[in-house]
Amino acid sequence: MGMVKCRECGKDVSNEAKTCPHCGVATPAPESKFGLYVKLGLGAVLVIAMVRCISDQEDRKSQAFAEKQRIEALKTPEQRAREDAEKAKKESDFQSVVSRLRALKATTQNPNAFELVDAILMNDGTLCATYRGTNSFGAVVTESKAIAKDLTIVGWNRFCGGKRGTDMKYARQAL
């Protein structure tokens, strides 16, 4: 047990004392230099680790970008044309689905209550949509409609029942 000067009043206090008997300050002994060095060292290690992590993320991003550019450079003109055609078809299908869903929404009793549950685009171009809305009594009801390309309502069982198509639920973001 040694004596140290209180960090508050400057009088002699035991280095193990919880409070200064003269002024009452908590933990009157000043922090040892070893403890201070340990804290500074841990802080420096933490800062270095954070900088290293950020640097590694940037390296991975630049490597991924370079790999993507390398793959693009290796594509033949036919591959690029095919990808462009696929992209154009997907965009065309999306716009078609959105226009049909907007038309369906406009025909509901309360368009503000329209909520798209499911939208599937069939290979023949029919859109199978399931939605929620309020009826004239204010009750929330779920309905399903099969909508052809020309915006006519067609038979659900014939065009949608038990068939598979492309999931277009993400079109709800455009409504």
Side-chain angles (χ1 to χ4, degrees):
M1 179 171 96
M3 299 297 279
V4 293
K5 299 278 188 203
C6 174
R7 63 182 168 88
E8 223 24 68
C9 66
K11 295 184 180 175
D12 286 336
V13 182
S14 168
N15 64 349
E16 296 177 3
K18 302 268 188 241
T19 60
C20 176
H22 307 289
C23 66
V25 71
T27 60
E31 193 171 336
S32 69
K33 288 185 180 183
F34 177 75
L36 179 64
Y37 293 145
V38 168
K39 288 180 182 176
L40 287 174
L42 289 175
V45 167
L46 181 63
V47 168
I48 291 169
M50 287 175 26
V51 168
R52 183 82 191 261
C53 182
I54 291 169
S55 174
D56 288 349
Q57 285 177 344
E58 292 299 321
D59 288 346
R60 282 192 295 270
K61 284 180 185 176
S62 64
Q63 287 173 353
F65 181 74
E67 180 66 15
K68 188 176 179 181
Q69 285 183 324
R70 186 186 71 76
I71 290 171
E72 283 295 319
L74 293 175
K75 289 182 182 175
T76 64
E78 293 82 20
Q79 286 175 319
R80 286 192 185 111
R82 187 172 52 247
E83 285 178 359
D84 290 344
E86 287 173 7
K87 203 179 287 185
K89 181 174 178 355
K90 283 183 180 180
E91 179 62 24
S92 172
D93 288 347
F94 177 76
Q95 293 302 329
S96 172
V97 167
V98 169
S99 68
R100 287 188 256 176
L101 289 173
R102 285 183 178 156
L104 178 62
K105 180 178 179 178
T107 64
T108 60
Q109 183 73 24
N110 181 1
N112 293 333
F114 182 89
E115 177 188 346
L116 182 65
V117 175
D118 201 10
I120 299 172
L121 185 62
M122 298 297 165
N123 291 337
D124 65 357
T126 303
L127 174 64
C128 303
T130 303
Y131 63 96
R132 284 190 198 95
T134 55
N135 62 13
S136 57
F137 297 109
V140 176
V141 294
T142 302
E143 293 189 23
S144 297
K145 301 273 188 208
I147 308 166
K149 287 183 179 181
D150 62 356
L151 298 178
T152 59
I153 303 297
V154 294
W156 177 271
N157 289 338
R158 180 173 173 212
F159 290 94
C160 301
K163 296 182 181 177
R164 293 183 179 205
T166 305
D167 184 10
M168 300 295 279
K169 276 187 275 194
Y170 62 91
R172 75 173 59 135
Q173 297 170 350
L175 294 179

